[in-house]
Amino acid sequence: MDIAEHRQAWEILSHVPEGQKNQYLVQAILKVQERDYLEKVIRETVRDELKSGRMTHPEVPTTDTIPDQMLDFLSKLDDNV
């Protein structure tokens, strides 16, 4: 295991209880596929909106706080990963 990523993956997998490793790997693979698909769809949607000119530049908040809507959205993404 000369590759750092392999060592890191092995460390994570070694903490998964016996009998659950296959299911863990299946879920991990499917989540990566889902995330890649969602990223592709979001990129295409944003690109299409920018090309159409329908998307306008939102007002930039004048404070360093993150709007509650954005925090809720990010929280939901984190729950799905």
Side-chain angles (χ1 to χ4, degrees):
M1 285 204 220
D2 295 334
I3 301 172
E5 288 177 328
H6 291 194
R7 284 191 304 273
Q8 184 181 7
W10 180 251
E11 180 66 26
I12 292 168
L13 190 58
S14 68
H15 288 90
V16 175
E18 289 300 322
Q20 296 179 16
K21 291 183 190 310
N22 283 345
Q23 184 61 30
Y24 180 85
L25 291 172
V26 167
Q27 288 176 335
I29 291 167
L30 292 176
K31 283 192 182 279
V32 167
Q33 289 294 324
E34 180 181 355
R35 186 182 64 220
D36 290 348
Y37 172 75
L38 289 173
E39 181 181 341
K40 178 184 173 194
V41 169
I42 290 169
R43 285 180 185 278
E44 288 175 359
T45 302
V46 170
R47 188 176 299 119
D48 290 347
E49 288 297 316
L50 289 172
K51 283 181 184 177
S52 72
R54 292 186 302 246
M55 188 179 232
T56 60
H57 191 279
E59 289 295 320
V60 178
T62 56
T63 67
D64 290 331
T65 60
I66 299 173
D68 289 338
Q69 282 182 307
M70 186 176 291
L71 290 174
D72 291 342
F73 174 76
L74 293 172
S75 174
K76 289 176 186 173
L77 286 179
D78 189 38
D79 291 342
N80 293 327
V81 175

